[in-house]
PDB file of all heavy atoms in Angstrom:
ATOM      1  N   VAL A 206    -142.133 -53.255  37.660  1.00  0.00           N
ATOM      2  CA  VAL A 206    -141.268 -52.170  38.127  1.00  0.00           C
ATOM      3  C   VAL A 206    -140.515 -52.595  39.385  1.00  0.00           C
ATOM      4  O   VAL A 206    -139.300 -52.406  39.511  1.00  0.00           O
ATOM      5  CB  VAL A 206    -142.102 -50.899  38.403  1.00  0.00           C
ATOM      6  CG1 VAL A 206    -141.253 -49.841  39.099  1.00  0.00           C
ATOM      7  CG2 VAL A 206    -142.661 -50.350  37.100  1.00  0.00           C
ATOM      8  N   VAL A 207    -141.256 -53.179  40.335  1.00  0.00           N
ATOM      9  CA  VAL A 207    -140.622 -53.647  41.572  1.00  0.00           C
ATOM     10  C   VAL A 207    -139.586 -54.726  41.265  1.00  0.00           C
ATOM     11  O   VAL A 207    -138.479 -54.730  41.827  1.00  0.00           O
ATOM     12  CB  VAL A 207    -141.689 -54.179  42.551  1.00  0.00           C
ATOM     13  CG1 VAL A 207    -141.028 -54.809  43.774  1.00  0.00           C
ATOM     14  CG2 VAL A 207    -142.625 -53.056  42.973  1.00  0.00           C
ATOM     15  N   TYR A 208    -139.920 -55.646  40.367  1.00  0.00           N
ATOM     16  CA  TYR A 208    -138.999 -56.727  39.998  1.00  0.00           C
ATOM     17  C   TYR A 208    -137.696 -56.155  39.449  1.00  0.00           C
ATOM     18  O   TYR A 208    -136.598 -56.568  39.848  1.00  0.00           O
ATOM     19  CB  TYR A 208    -139.667 -57.621  38.954  1.00  0.00           C
ATOM     20  CG  TYR A 208    -138.839 -58.826  38.533  1.00  0.00           C
ATOM     21  CD1 TYR A 208    -139.044 -60.064  39.131  1.00  0.00           C
ATOM     22  CD2 TYR A 208    -137.853 -58.721  37.549  1.00  0.00           C
ATOM     23  CE1 TYR A 208    -138.288 -61.162  38.754  1.00  0.00           C
ATOM     24  CE2 TYR A 208    -137.094 -59.811  37.177  1.00  0.00           C
ATOM     25  CZ  TYR A 208    -137.322 -61.029  37.776  1.00  0.00           C
ATOM     26  OH  TYR A 208    -136.564 -62.115  37.404  1.00  0.00           O
ATOM     27  N   ALA A 209    -137.799 -55.216  38.525  1.00  0.00           N
ATOM     28  CA  ALA A 209    -136.599 -54.635  37.918  1.00  0.00           C
ATOM     29  C   ALA A 209    -135.750 -53.913  38.955  1.00  0.00           C
ATOM     30  O   ALA A 209    -134.512 -53.996  38.932  1.00  0.00           O
ATOM     31  CB  ALA A 209    -136.990 -53.682  36.796  1.00  0.00           C
ATOM     32  N   ALA A 210    -136.424 -53.205  39.872  1.00  0.00           N
ATOM     33  CA  ALA A 210    -135.682 -52.474  40.896  1.00  0.00           C
ATOM     34  C   ALA A 210    -134.981 -53.413  41.868  1.00  0.00           C
ATOM     35  O   ALA A 210    -133.796 -53.249  42.165  1.00  0.00           O
ATOM     36  CB  ALA A 210    -136.632 -51.543  41.651  1.00  0.00           C
ATOM     37  N   THR A 211    -135.692 -54.423  42.360  1.00  0.00           N
ATOM     38  CA  THR A 211    -135.115 -55.314  43.354  1.00  0.00           C
ATOM     39  C   THR A 211    -134.060 -56.251  42.764  1.00  0.00           C
ATOM     40  O   THR A 211    -133.241 -56.794  43.492  1.00  0.00           O
ATOM     41  CB  THR A 211    -136.211 -56.149  44.042  1.00  0.00           C
ATOM     42  OG1 THR A 211    -136.979 -56.832  43.054  1.00  0.00           O
ATOM     43  CG2 THR A 211    -137.129 -55.264  44.849  1.00  0.00           C
ATOM     44  N   HIS A 212    -134.082 -56.436  41.440  1.00  0.00           N
ATOM     45  CA  HIS A 212    -133.052 -57.246  40.794  1.00  0.00           C
ATOM     46  C   HIS A 212    -131.952 -56.395  40.178  1.00  0.00           C
ATOM     47  O   HIS A 212    -131.132 -56.885  39.396  1.00  0.00           O
ATOM     48  CB  HIS A 212    -133.678 -58.172  39.744  1.00  0.00           C
ATOM     49  CG  HIS A 212    -134.442 -59.314  40.346  1.00  0.00           C
ATOM     50  ND1 HIS A 212    -135.724 -59.173  40.834  1.00  0.00           N
ATOM     51  CD2 HIS A 212    -134.094 -60.616  40.560  1.00  0.00           C
ATOM     52  CE1 HIS A 212    -136.135 -60.336  41.318  1.00  0.00           C
ATOM     53  NE2 HIS A 212    -135.180 -61.216  41.169  1.00  0.00           N
ATOM     54  N   ASN A 213    -131.959 -55.103  40.554  1.00  0.00           N
ATOM     55  CA  ASN A 213    -130.848 -54.224  40.185  1.00  0.00           C
ATOM     56  C   ASN A 213    -130.610 -54.210  38.670  1.00  0.00           C
ATOM     57  O   ASN A 213    -129.483 -54.268  38.210  1.00  0.00           O
ATOM     58  CB  ASN A 213    -129.571 -54.654  40.922  1.00  0.00           C
ATOM     59  CG  ASN A 213    -128.584 -53.512  41.052  1.00  0.00           C
ATOM     60  OD1 ASN A 213    -128.955 -52.347  41.023  1.00  0.00           O
ATOM     61  ND2 ASN A 213    -127.314 -53.858  41.187  1.00  0.00           N
ATOM     62  N   LEU A 214    -131.689 -54.098  37.903  1.00  0.00           N
ATOM     63  CA  LEU A 214    -131.569 -54.148  36.451  1.00  0.00           C
ATOM     64  C   LEU A 214    -131.315 -52.792  35.816  1.00  0.00           C
ATOM     65  O   LEU A 214    -130.881 -52.721  34.669  1.00  0.00           O
ATOM     66  CB  LEU A 214    -132.848 -54.741  35.841  1.00  0.00           C
ATOM     67  CG  LEU A 214    -133.222 -56.151  36.283  1.00  0.00           C
ATOM     68  CD1 LEU A 214    -134.459 -56.622  35.537  1.00  0.00           C
ATOM     69  CD2 LEU A 214    -132.066 -57.126  36.046  1.00  0.00           C
ATOM     70  N   LEU A 215    -131.610 -51.706  36.553  1.00  0.00           N
ATOM     71  CA  LEU A 215    -131.461 -50.397  35.948  1.00  0.00           C
ATOM     72  C   LEU A 215    -130.002 -49.993  35.867  1.00  0.00           C
ATOM     73  O   LEU A 215    -129.221 -50.238  36.792  1.00  0.00           O
ATOM     74  CB  LEU A 215    -132.227 -49.349  36.755  1.00  0.00           C
ATOM     75  CG  LEU A 215    -133.744 -49.480  36.674  1.00  0.00           C
ATOM     76  CD1 LEU A 215    -134.399 -48.481  37.594  1.00  0.00           C
ATOM     77  CD2 LEU A 215    -134.210 -49.267  35.243  1.00  0.00           C
ATOM     78  N   PRO A 216    -129.601 -49.329  34.789  1.00  0.00           N
ATOM     79  CA  PRO A 216    -128.209 -48.908  34.641  1.00  0.00           C
ATOM     80  C   PRO A 216    -127.845 -47.841  35.652  1.00  0.00           C
ATOM     81  O   PRO A 216    -128.665 -47.005  36.022  1.00  0.00           O
ATOM     82  CB  PRO A 216    -128.157 -48.351  33.210  1.00  0.00           C
ATOM     83  CG  PRO A 216    -129.557 -47.956  32.910  1.00  0.00           C
ATOM     84  CD  PRO A 216    -130.421 -48.953  33.636  1.00  0.00           C
ATOM     85  N   ARG A 217    -126.609 -47.861  36.097  1.00  0.00           N
ATOM     86  CA  ARG A 217    -126.141 -46.871  37.062  1.00  0.00           C
ATOM     87  C   ARG A 217    -126.215 -45.457  36.498  1.00  0.00           C
ATOM     88  O   ARG A 217    -126.369 -44.494  37.228  1.00  0.00           O
ATOM     89  CB  ARG A 217    -124.693 -47.176  37.457  1.00  0.00           C
ATOM     90  CG  ARG A 217    -124.556 -48.450  38.268  1.00  0.00           C
ATOM     91  CD  ARG A 217    -124.946 -48.231  39.711  1.00  0.00           C
ATOM     92  NE  ARG A 217    -124.988 -49.483  40.432  1.00  0.00           N
ATOM     93  CZ  ARG A 217    -125.085 -49.564  41.747  1.00  0.00           C
ATOM     94  NH1 ARG A 217    -125.166 -48.477  42.468  1.00  0.00           N
ATOM     95  NH2 ARG A 217    -125.130 -50.733  42.341  1.00  0.00           N
ATOM     96  N   SER A 218    -126.078 -45.314  35.193  1.00  0.00           N
ATOM     97  CA  SER A 218    -126.115 -43.985  34.595  1.00  0.00           C
ATOM     98  C   SER A 218    -127.436 -43.289  34.874  1.00  0.00           C
ATOM     99  O   SER A 218    -127.510 -42.086  35.069  1.00  0.00           O
ATOM    100  CB  SER A 218    -125.894 -44.070  33.083  1.00  0.00           C
ATOM    101  OG  SER A 218    -126.874 -44.898  32.483  1.00  0.00           O
TER     102      SER A 218
END
Side-chain angles (χ1 to χ4, degrees):
V206 171
V207 174
Y208 183 96
T211 54
H212 287 80
N213 204 24
L214 301 183
L215 291 175
R217 292 281 172 169
S218 58

